[in-house]
Amino acid sequence: METTKLPQTAADTFKASELDIELVQSVAEKPDVKHLTFGTVFTDHMLMIQWTLAGGWERPRIQPLQNLSLHPATSALHYSVELFEGLKAYRGVDNKIRLFRPMLNMDRMLRSAIRVALPAFDRAELLECIKKLVEVDKEWVPYSTEGSLYIRPTFIGTEPSLGLKKSTTAMLFVILSPVGPYFSTGMFNAVSLWANPEYVRAWRGGTGDCKLGGNYGASLYAQSQAQNVGCQQVLWLYEDDEKITEAGTMNLFLYWINEQGEEELVTAPLDGIILPGVTRQSIVDLTREWKKFKVEERPVTMAQLVKGLKENRVKELFGSGTACVVCPVGRILYKGENLQIPVLENGHKLAKQLMESLTDIQYGRKASDWTCQVA
C-alpha cells in the first residue's frame, strides 16, 4: 500500500533558534514516581507554536503550562482536525537524559499532519524545540528506572468556522507528564484481551496508520465493553477472516512455532491499518539482528491463533508501545471461550528479554545510536 511521502524540509517552518522562553515564577512540587497515574500530572512548562495561512509559522515559545483559549467553532472540536504523538525522556543510570528514536515520532507526526490537511513543518526543528522543553523541565524526569517523562506533542486545527474545510489556522503544542507503569496490573504482568469482530479499529483507506485522536475516541465504547466482561483491553480483528491487528493501543506480536514448524516472531504488516509504532519497529529491528528465529511482518488470523494454541505451538503473545514498552498477554476472551496463553509454561522469556534490551538502551545501560542526549 502506498504510504505518504514526506517532504525533506518544509519551505515555511519555525526555527528552534528563535525560541522565546518564559519561565514560571515558582516551580511545582515533584510527585513520587511510585504513586503516579499515567497522564495526570504535568510539568511547569509547555511548548506553543501558532500557524496561520496568512502569516505562516510564528516563533516557537516555551511558556508556563496554561489552559488553551479556543473559539467554540474550532475545527478540532467539531471535525477532529487534530493529531498527537507520544514519546519519552529517560533519566539514565549515568543521570543523563535521553530520548529514544525520536525522529521516528517526528516522521509519523508529519505524516499524520499531511493526512488531516494541517501544515507541514520541519521535523528536525520540532525535535530541537522539544529537546529544549525537556531541558527546561529536566528536574521532572524521574530519578528512577521505573519512571520516565512522557512527551505529548499535539497539533490541532483552530479554524473558527463550522464549515468543513482545510484549516487556515492551527496550533502545535507540547506538554510533558512524569509517568510510572502504564497498566494498573503493574510493570510486567499479563493483561487480558476481548476479541469481538463486531468492532473494528481501522480499515483500508482510512487513518489507522496515523496517530489521530478520532481513532482513539471511537475505540472507547468497545474498551468499556471489554471491561464489562472482565478484560482489560480489546483485541482488534479485521475483515471476515478475522485478521489480528492491534491490542488496545498497542501493536501485537505472536511468538510461536508456525504451521511450517519454524520458530517465528510475527506481527501484522504495515498495510495502512496498523500504526507504525516506534517500539514495534525497534522489536522487529532487534530480533532480526539477533537472528535467533524467523521474524515476519504478515497477517495472522484468529483461527490460526486458536489452532496454534490447541496444538501447543504458541509460546508468547505480547503488545508493544511507548507507554507500556512491552506487555504480555495472558488470556483472550473469544466467542465466550477463555483462551489461555501459556504464560506459566514459558514465563514471558522473549518479552522479558525484549523489555530488558529496550530499557537498557533507554536508561543508558547500553550505548546505542537509537538514543539522543538532551541533558
Side-chain angles (χ1 to χ4, degrees):
M1 182 171 182
E2 185 179 349
T3 57
T4 305
K5 290 182 173 62
L6 300 180
Q8 292 300 308
T9 57
D12 168 44
T13 193
F14 47 85
K15 300 288 186 182
S17 60
E18 297 177 354
L19 258 171
D20 292 325
I21 301 177
E22 177 192 355
L23 300 179
V24 294
Q25 295 298 312
S26 59
V27 298
E29 183 178 352
K30 311 302 184 290
D32 182 348
V33 69
K34 295 178 182 178
H35 301 113
L36 283 173
T37 300
F38 180 82
T40 58
V41 177
F42 299 94
T43 67
D44 295 310
H45 299 92
M46 65 188 298
L47 173 69
M48 175 66 70
I49 317 173
Q50 303 277 1
W51 175 88
T52 63
L53 180 62
W57 286 103
E58 297 180 6
R59 291 170 67 105
R61 178 179 176 82
I62 291 175
Q63 63 189 38
L65 181 72
Q66 56 196 260
N67 293 335
L68 305 179
S69 177
L70 297 173
H71 190 282
T74 293
S75 54
L77 302 178
H78 294 268
Y79 306 120
S80 197
V81 184
E82 67 88 39
L83 60 103
F84 67 96
E85 264 304 324
L87 61 158
K88 288 180 175 180
Y90 306 85
R91 188 178 297 277
V93 293
D94 54 2
N95 202 35
K96 294 177 181 177
I97 298 172
R98 297 173 175 85
L99 304 181
F100 180 73
R101 307 189 82 173
M103 278 306 295
L104 294 182
N105 295 94
M106 299 299 99
D107 290 345
R108 189 171 64 186
M109 185 170 181
L110 179 56
R111 192 174 296 112
S112 297
I114 292 170
R115 186 64 175 83
V116 291
L118 286 173
F121 54 86
D122 189 292
R123 292 157 285 174
E125 293 293 341
L126 177 56
L127 180 55
E128 287 304 310
C129 290
I130 290 173
K131 287 166 70 175
K132 185 61 181 178
L133 176 64
V134 173
E135 183 182 345
V136 167
D137 276 344
K138 63 183 178 182
E139 286 305 309
W140 284 88
V141 183
Y143 285 81
S144 166
T145 54
E146 290 187 356
S148 54
L149 186 66
Y150 187 80
I151 303 168
R152 173 53 66 90
T154 308
F155 195 9
I156 67 174
T158 54
E159 183 76 19
S161 168
L162 295 179
L164 180 58
K165 58 183 178 179
K166 189 174 179 179
S167 292
T168 62
T169 61
M171 176 191 301
L172 194 163
F173 61 92
V174 182
I175 53 178
L176 309 175
S177 175
V179 296
Y182 182 69
F183 290 108
S184 59
T185 52
M187 189 65 176
F188 208 70
N189 292 336
V191 297
S192 54
L193 304 179
W194 180 57
N196 187 335
E198 180 180 349
Y199 302 102
V200 178
R201 190 197 79 89
W203 50 90
R204 299 194 198 287
T207 59
D209 59 347
C210 296
K211 210 163 177 66
L212 308 182
N215 294 343
Y216 295 79
S219 73
L220 290 175
Y221 180 74
Q223 169 70 19
S224 69
Q225 295 295 98
Q227 292 172 342
N228 287 343
V229 294
C231 295
Q232 292 160 287
Q233 300 286 332
V234 178
L235 177 58
W236 299 104
L237 307 178
Y238 183 59
E239 294 187 324
D240 291 341
D241 59 355
E242 298 182 350
K243 295 180 184 70
I244 295 169
T245 61
E246 299 187 7
T249 59
M250 303 182 291
N251 294 122
L252 195 66
F253 286 85
L254 171 63
Y255 179 44
W256 69 340
I257 304 300
N258 65 20
E259 294 92 336
Q260 289 73 45
E262 303 166 303
E263 186 178 355
E264 179 185 55
L265 179 67
V266 61
T267 191
L270 300 180
D271 58 0
I273 66 169
I274 301 296
L275 187 73
V278 176
T279 309
R280 174 196 178 277
Q281 188 61 52
S282 301
I283 289 173
V284 170
D285 293 343
L286 274 178
T287 51
R288 283 179 173 160
E289 185 180 305
W290 291 348
K291 297 180 179 178
K292 292 182 178 179
F293 41 76
K294 190 174 185 180
V295 181
E296 288 291 308
E297 298 173 75
R298 63 175 178 83
V300 172
T301 66
M302 199 64 202
Q304 289 173 312
L305 175 60
V306 170
K307 188 171 185 287
L309 286 168
K310 288 181 178 178
E311 296 174 355
N312 295 315
R313 291 187 285 109
V314 174
K315 293 176 176 288
E316 298 179 47
L317 187 68
F318 55 87
S320 70
T322 297
C324 68
V325 187
V326 178
C327 179
V329 175
R331 175 175 65 91
I332 300 172
L333 178 58
Y334 174 64
K335 293 183 176 179
E337 181 183 357
N338 278 306
L339 305 175
Q340 299 294 335
I341 309 301
V343 173
L344 296 178
E345 293 89 333
N346 295 300
H348 311 308
K349 288 180 182 177
L350 179 57
K352 285 180 178 177
Q353 185 179 3
L354 286 166
M355 174 70 90
E356 183 177 321
S357 296
L358 291 169
T359 54
D360 278 352
I361 293 170
Q362 291 165 345
Y363 289 100
R365 291 185 288 262
K366 180 181 178 181
S368 172
D369 58 6
W370 282 359
T371 63
C372 66
Q373 188 174 324
V374 175

